[in-house]
Amino acid sequence: MKFEAPRGTHDILPSEQPRWRRVTQEAERLCALYGYRPIQTPVFEDTELFARTSGAGSDVVQKEMYSFTDRGGRSLTLRPEATAPIARAYLEHGLHREGQPQKLYTIAPMYRYAAPQRGRFREHWQLSVEAIGSGDAALDAELIHLYDTLLRNLGVDEYRLEVNSIGDSACRPAYLEQLGDWLRTHEPRLDEETRAKAQTNPLRVFDNIDAKPPEVRAALAEAPKIGEALCAECRAHFGDVRRTLDATGVAYELQPTLVRGLDYYTRTTWEFVGPALGAQSSISGGGRYDGLVEALGGPATPGVGFGAGIERLLLALDETPSADGGIDVFFVAPEGADRTALAAAMAALRRAGVSCDMDYAGRSVRGQRTQASRLGARRTVVVDSPQALETVVRELGG
RNA sequence: GUGGCGGUAGCUCAGUCGGUAGAGCCCCGGGUUGUGGUCCCGGUGGUCGGGGGUUCGAGUCCCCUCCGCCACCCCA
């Protein structure tokens, strides 16, 4: 085989479209129902947009960006996520001067240069839902509720939701200092891996804790957690979020060590974990990002949102294939039939909104009938006389 | 990026000790039938992922490489 889809990319063939659309159409229906409007942004952006917002130390920026220089010498990057581009558009087009919050969503491909695996692609599609311009805790809960409802409506029931608050500029620096002190003091009780993490990304020392040696686990259990070191304002905000989740019937687990990979997150963070996807169990992740718009040079503007991988959601879905729509009419043309008259009849029917098709592969009459049922034709017409065509056009073509 | 497993027809796979490649499904034709389907008969379809090496001879052994999968890392 000469060419194949580039590593980490995949084709979405016609046979997969019904499942694909089942997900995206329900997602769009819910977004509209919750008051979110569609927005589309370019596939590539100024590299600096992501470098600045995601954090220079983040994995995304350090090793996963598809960056290139265009012929004009600009450094551009295929978007690894949708929040920063949407915040950029929000600012660039003055949406911050319109009624707040701006509730926006997009379903679009994202690009990350990472080792591909099942459910992990270099090009993957994401539903991204954002509410920018309000710090109301009701929005955090609403976004969580939206995705929770999407999962339910699609019939996914084996999943769990973890929530946390990672504080803000008022309390996180103090916590980081506190954690740093603790890690230094208790270094002898930690394994090498955890010590390395303490140096590079202290918030992540708690990651994958179940796989760590028992004594390290025991030690870390005593370490201060960000979710338990919040300032009064953050604690109040998180309390509001949780009360609203409770009131709207969303089940969740508190996970005081849950953090996110991008620097711009503040306060509420959450993650939906799906069933049996191996190491790629996260099907959606989101959080509040009250400092993002300001980091882009705009006014201090709160925001909250989430990203949800379409391919991973599809993996969490049962395999039942939804049926294609089928066509209204299939014309069987025996050898010698007037195909010009047939083309005219099909044009008339299509003008009237009647879907129709015929054979283009020189099939036998038997083969054409097979093709008709393969296409789900509700009616099969054998073109053995001019009258046959006229009759159908008169009956269905209006 | 590191380590492990894998790649044979469009799909799912078999292929012995190294001896010139097979099945089922799909697709096409025919028979049967209630002109589809079912059932029966026949047919098309392969650079054995790619390149190099060993050998009289490589799908099979060796090296490189590409792609997939698993783990790590990280994420959606």
Side-chain angles (χ1 to χ4, degrees):
Chain A
M1 196 174 303
K2 194 86 169 96
F3 290 109
E4 18 186 274
R7 180 162 157 85
T9 69
H10 64 120
D11 302 308
I12 304 154
L13 298 174
S15 58
E16 304 166 52
Q17 294 291 342
R19 264 162 57 77
W20 188 272
R21 291 191 175 194
R22 188 177 144 216
V23 168
T24 54
Q25 285 178 355
E26 180 61 10
E28 295 207 279
R29 191 184 75 82
L30 286 178
C31 283
L33 200 60
Y34 283 64
Y36 292 78
R37 296 185 300 159
I39 183 171
Q40 285 169 293
T41 65
V43 156
F44 52 83
E45 296 271 358
D46 192 321
T47 297
E48 187 60 22
L49 174 67
F50 301 113
R52 205 146 84 211
T53 59
S54 297
S58 68
D59 273 37
V60 168
V61 171
Q62 263 187 349
K63 49 186 193 189
E64 295 184 353
M65 292 209 304
Y66 271 96
S67 299
F68 61 98
T69 305
D70 77 0
R71 289 166 189 272
R74 289 169 277 260
S75 178
L76 301 171
T77 294
L78 265 35
R79 63 176 166 219
E81 52 97 17
T83 303
I86 289 175
R88 190 225 83 227
Y90 168 93
L91 195 56
E92 176 176 345
H93 301 289
L95 301 184
H96 58 296
R97 300 299 305 270
E98 299 186 6
Q100 301 299 302
Q102 290 285 307
K103 297 169 72 174
L104 308 163
Y105 79 92
T106 197
I107 298 176
M110 306 296 156
Y111 301 83
R112 291 184 196 180
Y113 190 91
Q117 267 178 51
R118 179 177 170 81
R120 165 179 292 182
F121 297 94
R122 290 183 171 177
E123 178 189 65
H124 76 279
W125 287 73
Q126 243 182 71
L127 162 68
S128 187
V129 189
E130 318 286 343
I132 308 180
S134 166
D136 193 339
L139 282 171
D140 308 38
E142 176 179 275
L143 286 159
I144 293 170
H145 188 264
L146 192 164
Y147 189 73
D148 189 70
T149 303
L150 178 61
L151 290 178
R152 282 171 197 285
N153 290 1
L154 292 173
V156 181
D157 42 22
E158 278 179 58
Y159 65 91
R160 51 175 220 280
L161 164 63
E162 299 181 351
V163 302
N164 191 28
S165 174
I166 58 170
D168 62 9
S169 56
C171 50
R172 193 156 16 141
Y175 165 75
L176 279 170
E177 207 166 304
Q178 187 189 352
L179 176 63
D181 287 346
W182 189 93
L183 289 169
R184 269 187 297 280
T185 311
H186 296 81
E187 197 176 309
R189 302 172 64 191
L190 306 176
D191 60 340
E192 197 162 326
E193 197 184 301
T194 307
R195 278 180 217 166
K197 264 281 143 50
Q199 295 304 312
T200 56
N201 196 345
L203 282 175
R204 293 222 169 251
V205 292
F206 303 103
D207 280 11
N208 204 15
I209 195 162
D210 294 338
K212 292 181 191 289
E215 59 275 13
V216 179
R217 238 181 300 166
L220 285 174
E222 301 163 18
K225 312 292 188 311
I226 179 67
E228 295 156 358
L230 302 175
C231 62
E233 289 77 12
C234 286
R235 210 175 314 125
H237 181 91
F238 195 39
D240 285 345
V241 173
R242 292 174 56 187
R243 264 189 298 284
T244 311
L245 289 177
D246 291 337
T248 52
V250 177
Y252 60 89
E253 303 164 18
L254 285 181
Q255 181 52 270
T257 60
L258 173 70
V259 297
R260 302 221 56 77
L262 305 176
D263 275 8
Y264 53 65
Y265 284 108
T266 56
R267 293 193 167 172
T268 323
T269 59
W270 69 86
E271 193 164 312
F272 281 87
V273 182
L277 292 172
Q280 291 78 239
S281 53
S282 171
I283 54 177
S284 172
R288 180 158 280 286
Y289 43 83
D290 291 344
L292 178 59
V293 173
E294 199 172 6
L296 296 179
T301 308
V304 58
F306 69 83
I310 303 293
E311 289 89 346
R312 286 193 187 173
L313 179 47
L314 250 5
L315 285 175
L317 232 53
D318 52 37
E319 286 294 325
T320 50
S322 19
D324 275 319
I327 61 169
D328 294 320
V329 187
F330 187 92
F331 288 101
V332 172
E335 197 157 357
D338 186 347
R339 286 170 58 90
T340 308
L342 177 50
M346 291 210 303
L349 287 174
R350 288 165 174 166
R351 212 177 298 129
V354 178
S355 61
C356 49
D357 213 340
M358 57 179 256
D359 173 64
Y360 307 94
R363 286 187 184 84
S364 64
V365 167
R366 176 202 184 102
Q368 292 187 46
R369 288 188 170 275
T370 304
Q371 177 70 356
S373 47
R374 195 152 44 210
L375 295 180
R378 283 176 280 284
R379 186 164 172 171
T380 302
V381 176
V382 181
V383 185
D384 47 7
S385 68
Q387 288 74 31
L389 283 175
E390 280 172 31
T391 307
V392 177
V393 172
R394 198 179 324 115
E395 283 177 13
L396 300 176

